[in-house]
Amino acid sequence: MNKSRIYYSILFLLVIFLGILSRKISFIPLCTGDFLYAVMIYLLIRIVFISKTFFQILILALLTCYAIEFFQLYQAEWIIELRQTLFGRYVLGQGFLWSDILAYTFGAASAYITERIILKDNINQTSA
């Protein structure tokens, strides 16, 4: 496995842990979980498409998060039952909220900016 994929995978698991933890601690705002969800999606897409540009990963992450959120408007009986499971609740969500779209935007953008800053610094240090 590529060394970069290992680092992104560790970050991915850490973000999942933090996201679940954010739902268990009552004083942490609910939007924190949505923010971390977008970061997790960004990292997952980065793991799968390791050679894509930062911006391509950002766009794919946002499209994925938005699609999942808008899919919550679909209310067929089978999907409602799936959303009542632990997997369905964490992955598919419960109901559409515009505030989730905002949290996803900030989460994915934060992951994008952080990655650009960190990797730009690493590239500058290795070339010096």
Side-chain angles (χ1 to χ4, degrees):
M1 182 183 270
N2 185 332
K3 198 174 190 181
S4 295
R5 279 197 170 110
I6 293 171
Y7 293 137
Y8 285 114
S9 297
I10 292 168
L11 286 172
F12 175 78
L13 294 173
L14 178 64
V15 169
I16 289 174
F17 173 75
L18 292 173
I20 292 171
L21 189 64
S22 77
R23 297 290 189 198
K24 303 292 182 193
I25 301 173
S26 60
F27 65 86
I28 296 177
L30 285 176
C31 65
T32 303
D34 297 319
F35 177 92
L36 291 170
Y37 184 85
V39 173
M40 179 201 69
I41 294 294
Y42 184 94
L43 292 169
L44 179 61
I45 292 171
R46 170 56 74 200
I47 291 165
V48 174
F49 301 108
I50 197 75
S51 63
K52 297 286 185 194
T53 67
F54 302 132
F55 188 72
Q56 289 171 323
I57 299 299
L58 172 65
I59 296 301
L60 286 171
L62 287 173
L63 289 175
T64 302
C65 289
Y66 294 167
I68 290 170
E69 188 66 23
F70 280 102
F71 187 60
Q72 292 174 20
L73 294 171
Y74 180 65
Q75 295 293 317
E77 189 174 322
W78 69 271
I79 195 73
I80 292 171
E81 289 177 17
L82 180 61
R83 286 185 185 126
Q84 291 174 350
T85 66
L86 183 64
F87 170 81
R89 195 169 39 257
Y90 281 147
V91 175
L92 301 175
Q94 298 285 54
F96 178 86
L97 293 171
W98 284 107
S99 60
D100 289 352
I101 297 288
L102 189 61
Y104 295 151
T105 304
F106 281 117
S110 296
Y112 165 78
I113 291 166
T114 302
E115 185 182 33
R116 295 259 340 229
I117 291 170
I118 289 172
L119 290 182
K120 181 179 179 188
D121 286 347
N122 285 343
I123 291 169
N124 288 342
Q125 288 175 358
T126 57
S127 64

